[in-house]
Structure formats: C-alpha cells, structure tokens
Amino acid sequence: MIAVDRFVETLKSAGVGFFAGVPDSLLKSFCAYLTDNCGEDHVIAANEGGAVGFAAGHYLASGSPALVYMQNSGQGNSVNPLCSLADPDVYSIPMVLLVGWRGEPGVKDEPQHVKQGKVTLPLFETLGILTEVLPDDDESAAEVTRKMVARAMAESRPVALIVRKGLFAEYKLQNKQSDIAALPREQAIEGVLRALPADAVVVSTTGMISREVYETRERLGQGHECDFLTVGSMGHASMIAMGIAKAQPNRKVYCLDGDGASIMQMGNMAIVGRSGCENLTHIVFNNAAHDSVGGQPTVGGDIDFEKIAEEFGYNVLQSPQDQYVNSERIGVDEVASGMNWLITMEEQSRQYKPDYYDELPKKPNFILFKVAKGARKDLGRPKEPPQVNKSLYMKTLGVKS
Ligand SMILES: Cc1ncc(C[n+]2csc(CCOP(=O)(O)OP(=O)(O)O)c2C)c(N)n1
C-alpha cells in the first residue's frame, strides 16, 4: 500500500500541483486527501472529459501539467478530448491520468466492470498513451510517478498511472459536508416504489440507487421485472427512460436518478425535457454527493434542479417532501402518500378534464427529493446478472429479447 500524502507530495515536487477528476471508490483515499488539503487546486468535474479539458486549460495558462483522476468507467468519456485535444497529433498537451482499475482481469468485480477492466490498458495503448501500473510501495511508486511526469513533459503528451484495488492506504475525509436533508435515500426510494402503478416501469441510475431499488423490491416481496438497473453508463438513465417512453407512449416510465449522474450528463435533461414524453417522470435524489464512491461533494447542493428542469421544459411537480412543513420528520410513509396523491390527482384530472389536458403542451414530469448521504452498511447487490435483468424487463414490456 502507498500513503496518499506522500504520493501527492511526489506529484507536487515533480511539477503537478493541480487536480481534476471524477471520484472513484478505488481512489477514495486520494480524493478525500485532495478535498481536505488541496482547496482551490482541486476541481471535481462533472465528467471525465471535462477534467481533461480542465487539465488542458491549466497547461495553456501555466505551462505545468495537471493530474486527471477517474475510475476506468470514465475512460470512454475522456477519449474524445484525449484524441482530439491533448494528443501529440493535435495540440500535444501534457497531463497525468490517474485511473482506478475496476474489473482488473483475475480480480473479482461487478459485471459492469468486467469488459471495461479488460480493455483499459489496450485502449490506452491504442490511443498511444504511455501507461504504468503503480507499484504498491511508496518508494517504487514515487520513482514511477517522477519518471512518467518527466515523460509527459518531455514529449508533451498525456501519460497514465493505473491504480489497482487496495493500493492507497486509508485516508478518511475530515472536511465532511453536512447533509442537505435528513431523509435517507433508501426511504425516499421505498416511498416512491410503493406508490407506483403496478404496470409502471422504472429505470434507475448507476450506484447505490439501483442497489436500493433492488433491495427495496426484495423487502416489499415484489419481483424485479419492472426495474432496469442501469449498473454502468453513468448519467444516461434518463435517455434510456426516454427511449422506452417514446417506444411505448401508453406505458408510465419512472427514471430514478442521482445528482452526480444527472450533472455528469446534464445535456440529457435538456433533451428529455423537450421530448414531449408525458408518460415519463424523472425523479432526482439529490444528496449533493457522489455517495456511491465515497461521498465526495457534487455541486448538487448549490444548484436548483427544479428551476433547471423547468427551463429545460419539464413539468415540475411539487415534491412530496415540500408538502411537509417540518421535512425533518418525513419518512417512507409520507413519501408514499405524497407520491400517491400526485399520481392520483393527475389521473383524475385527466379523466375529468380530458380537453383541458389535450390542449396543454406535452411534457415529462420532474420530481426532486433532497436526501441525506450514506447507505446501510449491509446494502446488497443485484443477484441476477444484467442480461437476466434485461430479459425480465423486456418481457414486462411485452417484447421478445
Ligand atoms: C463514467 C463513470 N464515471 C464514474 C463512475 C463511478 N461512479 C459510480 S456511482 C458514482 C456516483 C454517483 O453519484 P450520484 O449520481 O449523485 O448518486 P449517489 O451515489 O450520490 O446516490 C460514480 C462517480 C462511473 N460508474 N461511471
């Protein structure tokens, strides 16, 4: 194992003093150390491509390379700016990538990491990016880091340092941001699922939200056939939901999203908002954090999702949470009855005033829940592989897979 403080010192003494990236569980200690100690010299980006852009701008204005950190799931997001901006065939910009290697061949990991784990090194090789796996002792790691930074500078190109599971010794975040609400995310999810019509389908986002959807169904004694658990592809759940909503306009589709994921691909909301899919409801559970990979902050605490959604063209419904004066006390039952009320009101109004609804512009719904960070320690994972999830789901949609 290596110590994060020494590693950061090595980077700084080699000339790398700015850091941008998207958090990853394998880099949890590294990210926590940056958050506590690097202040304005550290930016948590919306997505990995944005972090590469930031590093390019930093180099243009300082002449020094920045470090871009990411989980290898974000490699795809970074490929375009790596190829068309930083590559020696284009602007030739030095930077150091620090990449958490989920799904390393031979190491057991979740299904969504298997393919990405296999292609991480070959993909960098294809891109012509020099790659080294960081050794697991401080001295050797420092030596490799100095050598790679020197290569990046000498050849004016990106280089990559690969981080295996368990490389960094534990560093616990000191500057914890306070929660923006008391409601536990799992309770909000259970309240929503309890209220949904039986024939509604769900598309849930990457990370703990999907795991909580899965566990909640188990707890309620329900099956999993109505839930598409988007285990990878962070930020695209709303577009998957829109694909379904357009193909089956009579089906109610609910997208259960996170703040980090919706910010990562915020452009998707602009398109979904104008889609005209009135059978689609997009629900964001905002905890102002990348909770699933260590609780690092997002800008979710500083932005008004409801205003953004409204501008993007959604029909923003009043959150059940806001119907309670003391929202500290809201739990599963209050969320469920609030959601029930919203759903029943809409159905009844449509029944009694069909002409009025026919004349209204067709818009998808948007609902925001502000929730606390954190999850149950014993939160499980889906037991069925993604392809079983897909087949069951398509059967529910009445489609042969
Ligand atoms: C492209 C990509 N980058 C990074 C990750 C790692 N990752 C998995 S879940 C997650 C955080 C999700 O945050 P949010 O959507 O706010 O949901 P929360 O975990 O807070 O409930 C991250 C960064 C990923 N899976 N894919």
Side-chain angles (χ1 to χ4, degrees):
M1 277 201 277
I2 67 173
V4 275
D5 52 351
R6 283 194 65 180
F7 179 62
V8 171
E9 272 321 305
T10 303
L11 285 164
K12 285 187 174 171
S13 62
V16 182
F18 262 78
F19 307 90
V22 177
D24 168 33
S25 46
L26 298 192
L27 305 176
K28 195 167 155 183
S29 296
F30 176 76
C31 297
Y33 184 83
L34 296 183
T35 302
D36 280 348
N37 299 287
C38 294
E40 293 294 309
D41 299 345
H42 171 216
V43 174
I44 299 180
N47 61 57
E48 294 78 2
V52 173
F54 175 86
H58 176 73
Y59 174 74
L60 293 176
S62 68
S64 303
L67 180 132
V68 172
Y69 63 87
M70 67 179 87
Q71 178 177 105
N72 55 345
S73 309
Q75 198 179 15
N77 283 342
S78 70
V79 167
N80 172 251
L82 285 172
C83 281
S84 61
L85 171 72
D87 192 86
D89 281 351
V90 195
Y91 290 104
S92 195
I93 294 183
M95 64 185 67
V96 179
L97 313 175
L98 185 74
V99 183
W101 197 2
R102 297 290 307 257
E104 178 185 352
V107 179
K108 198 173 177 303
D109 211 330
E110 298 307 310
Q112 67 272 25
H113 296 297
V114 172
K115 175 73 179 186
Q116 183 66 56
K118 277 189 226 166
V119 302
T120 298
L121 302 189
L123 200 52
F124 278 136
E125 199 184 341
T126 303
L127 298 178
I129 292 179
L130 189 68
T131 303
E132 285 267 11
V133 178
L134 274 175
D136 69 355
D137 67 281
D138 288 312
E139 269 320 306
S140 320
E143 204 177 300
V144 167
T145 303
R146 282 192 288 269
K147 184 188 84 183
M148 292 291 272
V149 175
R151 286 282 303 262
M153 284 305 287
E155 297 169 29
S156 208
R157 65 194 309 153
V159 298
L161 299 172
I162 308 295
V163 175
R164 287 199 160 111
K165 197 172 176 183
L167 176 77
F168 287 116
E170 185 166 7
Y171 173 91
K172 277 215 154 95
L173 185 69
Q174 312 293 312
N175 292 333
K176 282 209 176 109
Q177 291 207 340
S178 43
D179 282 327
I180 61 169
L183 175 66
R185 185 188 48 218
E186 193 171 9
Q187 289 197 22
I189 288 174
E190 178 169 339
V192 168
L193 292 183
R194 273 208 222 159
L196 296 190
D199 57 348
V201 293
V202 167
V203 179
S204 55
T205 185
T206 316
M208 285 177 178
I209 289 179
S210 277
R211 290 167 62 186
E212 287 173 346
V213 165
Y214 186 89
E215 293 252 311
T216 301
R217 294 291 196 192
E218 297 263 290
R219 204 167 43 246
L220 298 177
Q222 299 174 348
H224 302 289
E225 65 279 0
C226 293
D227 308 324
F228 188 80
L229 310 168
T230 316
V231 289
S233 194
M234 181 171 164
H236 296 301
S238 60
M239 289 299 279
I240 300 172
M242 180 179 142
I244 296 165
K246 278 221 179 267
Q248 298 202 358
N250 294 323
R251 170 90 53 187
K252 297 271 185 224
V253 186
Y254 287 81
C255 174
L256 274 49
D257 217 346
D259 53 297
S262 33
I263 292 166
M264 178 172 273
Q265 302 294 350
M266 184 57 91
N268 285 341
M269 275 183 71
I271 302 305
V272 174
R274 304 254 163 220
S275 65
C277 291
E278 55 183 355
N279 55 330
L280 169 60
T281 301
H282 189 175
I283 303 179
V284 171
F285 299 95
N286 181 12
N287 53 12
H290 288 284
D291 197 35
S292 301
V293 289
Q296 302 84 352
T298 67
V299 292
D302 307 319
I303 63 175
D304 188 335
F305 272 102
E306 287 168 319
K307 260 194 191 158
I308 293 171
E310 194 167 357
E311 276 300 310
F312 281 157
Y314 287 87
N315 174 35
V316 179
L317 302 178
Q318 188 192 17
S319 173
Q321 201 170 16
D322 294 345
Q323 292 161 16
Y324 292 85
V325 182
N326 187 352
S327 61
E328 292 291 305
R329 296 225 189 95
I330 178 174
V332 179
D333 292 338
E334 289 74 15
V335 174
S337 63
M339 285 295 297
N340 251 323
W341 188 81
L342 283 178
I343 292 167
T344 327
M345 275 296 287
E346 201 207 348
E347 266 171 22
Q348 288 183 351
S349 315
R350 274 181 197 281
Q351 252 174 11
Y352 295 122
K353 290 195 212 157
D355 300 343
Y356 170 75
Y357 270 94
D358 279 350
E359 275 167 29
L360 283 182
K362 298 197 182 327
K363 293 174 167 203
N365 295 315
F366 182 86
I367 303 173
L368 180 72
F369 283 96
K370 289 185 184 155
V371 294
K373 290 191 285 294
R376 263 188 301 126
K377 288 268 171 296
D378 59 350
L379 184 67
R381 293 178 184 275
K383 293 184 192 76
E384 299 78 23
Q387 291 185 20
V388 172
N389 180 206
K390 179 191 79 173
S391 303
L392 264 179
Y393 193 75
M394 288 181 73
K395 201 169 161 209
T396 303
L397 291 172
V399 180
K400 209 167 164 292
S401 62

